[in-house]
Amino acid sequence: MTRRRPPADADERTMLTGWLDVQRATVRLKCEGLTDEQAQLVLLPSSPRMTVKTLIAHLRNVEQGWFEASFLGARELAAKDPFELPQPPDASLDELLDEYDKQCARSREIVAAHDLDELEAWAPEGLDVVSLRWIITHLLEETARHLGHLDALRELTDGTTGY
């Protein structure tokens, strides 16, 4: 996927989904050239689950959790604790990135088929029911925040910066 900023005069939907797609595409760029061994390095002693691989698995879970479990109401797809990083996955980095890309494609399909004002079908206990607009905006924040983590992990791994 290539990164393309949405046009400056885009409508709200195009702007929101365009910027989210820029963030999603950057996830793969941040991982380019990493080996599986590098992607599972624990570099932050106070956060032993914070690895490149767990971040990619988490981002995949977040996409599925918000768009399928909450918005569409497929509760069985909700992660046990969506706010926690998952256990280190056994899958390779390439497999995790492919799963993430597939989940993002599924999320795009869901967003394209619904109005931004439509409310989610189910909210996890303790959370308010929110609109699709809110979910997209939250995913922008969530993905961008974890890209910052990927920036730091990548620099600590092999000195690579930028993108």
Side-chain angles (χ1 to χ4, degrees):
M1 169 186 256
T2 58
R3 292 186 305 173
R4 287 193 192 109
R5 292 179 177 194
D9 61 350
D11 61 74
E12 181 184 21
R13 176 182 291 271
T14 303
M15 191 73 69
L16 288 170
T17 58
W19 278 113
L20 181 53
D21 278 340
V22 168
Q23 304 307 309
R24 289 168 170 158
T26 306
V27 168
R28 188 172 276 276
L29 287 175
K30 293 288 178 191
C31 297
E32 216 168 65
L34 285 176
T35 65
D36 281 336
E37 293 76 27
Q38 290 172 317
Q40 59 194 21
L41 290 174
V42 175
L43 298 165
L44 303 173
S46 62
S47 299
R49 287 193 191 175
M50 179 81 67
T51 69
V52 170
K53 286 174 71 172
T54 56
L55 282 172
I56 303 306
H58 175 67
L59 286 169
R60 183 216 163 275
N61 291 348
V62 166
E63 290 271 347
Q64 185 178 56
W66 279 105
F67 290 111
E68 291 191 74
S70 292
F71 186 73
L72 294 181
R75 294 180 189 189
E76 70 279 2
L77 296 177
K80 182 179 178 187
D81 188 344
F83 304 110
E84 292 289 324
L85 288 176
Q87 291 294 327
D90 292 331
S92 71
L93 179 59
D94 286 340
E95 290 169 332
L96 291 168
L97 287 167
D98 288 346
E99 288 175 14
Y100 176 63
D101 288 345
K102 286 178 190 168
Q103 190 61 53
C104 291
R106 174 71 178 126
S107 297
R108 278 186 211 92
E109 291 171 2
I110 293 166
V111 170
H114 295 273
D115 187 81
L116 295 177
D117 291 325
E118 190 173 334
L119 296 178
E120 63 187 342
W122 169 75
E125 188 176 329
L127 297 180
D128 294 332
V129 171
V130 297
S131 69
L132 181 58
R133 175 184 292 101
W134 189 98
I135 292 170
I136 295 168
T137 304
H138 173 65
L139 261 287
L140 266 163
E141 176 271 329
E142 176 97 8
T143 307
R145 180 166 29 94
H146 289 310
L147 279 171
H149 296 133
L150 285 172
D151 276 336
L153 292 175
R154 184 64 192 257
E155 185 172 352
L156 290 169
T157 298
D158 65 2
T160 298
T161 59
Y163 301 107

